[in-house]
Amino acid sequence: MNSTVEVPRGLAGVVVTETQLGDVRGREGFYHYRQYSAVELATSRGFEDVWQLMFRGALPEDATERAAFAAEIAPLRHLPAAVRDALPALARATALSGPLAGLRTALSLLGASAGFRPVYDLSPDRRAADALAACAAVPTLLTALHRLGQGLEPVDPRDDLPYAANYLYMLTGREPEPAKARAVEQYLISTIDHGFNASTFTARVIASTGADVAACLTGAIGALSGPLHGGAPSRALDTLDAIGTADRIDPWIRERVLAGDRIMGFGHPVYRTEDPRSRMLRDIARQFGGPLVDFAIEVERHVEQILAELKPGRELHTNVEFYAGVVMELCGLPREMFTPTFCAARVVGWSANILEQAADSKIIRPAARYSGPTPPEPVPTLD
């Protein structure tokens, strides 16, 4: 008897497991981390607070608990000598591909150097320790690979700086302005987790095999690198550059929509209303102000009008990538670091999902429907 179940392409809307980590309610334009609004967390808490929430189920209750978690993370930012010494060669080897490609190898090396073992064989505490170490090291790896690729020496992490400020410091070699550090921190918090997106699902599939944390994260990074997933922030900003001036918005957008092209930074597979992350980032961008922000808001207005006209009933609005690119540009991040910066946040959400999946020993093993020539055909013989 055939026990397979037909499902939509891309598993759209299919529930594959239960999670206590959060959810996306697309029709409402709302998403949450555990029991808290993710946007409210981004506007009221620091990155480390939300990291603790995702890993340990609760926000720090006071300044002492917050400081204890920060002190636990800080030494993990420093790379083992074996990994640090390998980064120059790795940066050269991935010069054409960029830091995200280098991170896949660097994170595998980190896991091997630290002796990460399959999560199937570990206690929950040991799994969490491996995940904590990997998350703390990712910003150091990314910024070192970027700087080495630019012919610069890596900047060692500072234990006294919070996660976002330390990331910018390692990237530029300068302590960031508080407003820019906070803007990047809010972006990072807002992108820690977002339901069962492609990279999160990839991480959980690998975790279901019992593989080690580094293996799970490496697979997730590979999924994130795709332009239909995490690779869009710089492409959305490239769209603004290509349009150039306000008088070109309508003809440029109409031509591409009528040609069937996707407008990067617009539309989302889950939201049927405005992406709450986009709304928050638009507000952050407005606080900075300037020509880029004004132009982005004007483009958003025109694009939504054109999409409503040419694709009625579709409810296509800006997604997180559109204003994420604007905010990161305003904060001085190079465009080749937009998706890696996304990764520096999402690694915490991936790791929380890996830990949750590791508690369930059932391997994820779906089926596919064969659609090729009817078997069995005789194997042809060679003349």
Side-chain angles (χ1 to χ4, degrees):
M1 179 179 176
N2 189 343
S3 61
T4 59
V5 178
E6 296 293 328
V7 297
R9 287 181 65 213
L11 301 180
V14 176
V15 174
V16 295
T17 193
E18 293 185 354
T19 181
Q20 296 184 9
L21 296 175
D23 192 22
V24 181
R25 304 209 297 247
R27 294 190 179 278
E28 300 172 43
F30 172 78
Y31 74 114
H32 59 98
Y33 302 155
R34 297 195 184 270
Q35 64 268 47
Y36 303 110
S37 160
V39 170
E40 186 177 347
L41 286 168
T43 56
S44 65
R45 290 283 192 151
F47 188 88
E48 286 83 354
D49 286 1
V50 185
W51 186 352
Q52 178 177 318
L53 170 69
M54 296 300 287
F55 268 49
R56 298 177 179 172
L59 292 164
E61 294 183 355
D62 52 36
T64 301
E65 187 178 348
R66 171 183 286 169
F69 188 72
E72 185 178 355
I73 294 165
L76 301 175
R77 295 171 174 172
H78 298 270
L79 301 176
V83 177
R84 188 173 61 248
D85 293 346
L87 292 181
L90 184 54
R92 289 193 298 273
T94 58
L96 297 178
S97 303
L100 201 62
L103 180 64
R104 296 200 296 265
T105 302
L107 202 51
S108 292
L109 179 59
L110 176 75
S113 174
F116 285 8
R117 292 168 51 216
V119 294
Y120 184 81
D121 298 329
L122 300 179
S123 68
D125 286 348
R126 185 65 253 174
R127 294 170 192 156
D130 287 354
L132 202 68
C135 290
V138 161
T140 309
L141 291 169
L142 284 172
T143 53
L145 287 166
H146 172 71
R147 288 183 64 85
L148 287 164
Q150 301 296 310
L152 302 170
E153 285 297 311
V155 175
D156 289 335
R158 275 177 48 181
D159 294 354
D160 61 314
L161 291 176
Y163 190 86
N166 183 64
Y167 178 71
L168 291 173
Y169 169 72
M170 290 190 295
L171 189 65
T172 66
R174 302 181 304 276
E175 189 168 339
E177 299 171 24
K180 292 181 177 179
R182 179 56 182 155
V184 170
E185 181 174 54
Q186 288 180 271
Y187 166 67
L188 292 174
I189 293 171
S190 74
T191 52
I192 280 177
D193 192 53
H194 201 248
F196 264 43
N197 54 82
S199 56
T200 297
F201 187 48
T202 300
R204 291 190 71 126
V205 169
I206 299 172
S208 80
T209 73
D212 68 72
V213 167
C216 300
L217 292 174
T218 299
I221 295 165
L224 184 75
S225 67
L228 296 184
H229 190 9
S234 60
R235 292 173 184 243
L237 207 55
D238 291 342
T239 295
L240 296 181
D241 289 344
I243 295 171
T245 57
D247 61 300
R248 283 173 41 83
I249 298 173
D250 277 30
W252 196 95
I253 296 297
R254 284 181 185 277
E255 179 181 345
R256 277 144 187 85
V257 173
L258 291 172
D261 296 341
R262 182 182 176 193
I263 308 300
M264 287 296 184
F266 287 80
H268 193 276
V270 177
Y271 289 117
R272 295 299 172 263
T273 183
E274 186 177 28
D275 186 332
R277 301 169 298 176
S278 178
R279 187 186 311 120
M280 184 195 76
L281 290 166
R282 185 197 303 120
D283 290 342
I284 293 172
R286 279 178 166 149
Q287 292 171 15
F288 286 101
L292 174 61
V293 177
D294 294 341
F295 186 56
I297 292 171
E298 184 72 1
V299 168
E300 177 189 19
R301 184 176 67 84
H302 280 264
V303 171
E304 290 195 346
Q305 289 175 350
I306 294 168
L307 290 174
E309 174 192 339
L310 300 179
K311 295 181 178 291
R314 290 285 301 276
E315 289 292 338
L316 295 170
H317 303 277
T318 53
N319 56 42
V320 64
E321 284 89 2
F322 188 78
Y323 282 105
V326 173
V327 169
M328 284 190 276
E329 181 98 336
L330 294 171
C331 291
L333 278 80
R335 293 189 188 186
E336 62 270 22
M337 288 300 290
F338 284 6
T339 301
T341 301
F342 186 5
C343 179
R346 188 56 61 86
V347 67
V348 171
W350 291 333
S351 294
N353 274 275
I354 290 164
L355 296 176
E356 187 175 63
Q357 186 65 47
D360 180 0
S361 61
K362 179 67 174 177
I363 191 171
I364 297 173
R365 176 58 168 90
R369 184 179 65 249
Y370 176 74
S371 59
T374 302
E377 288 282 342
V379 177
T381 58
L382 291 174
D383 294 333

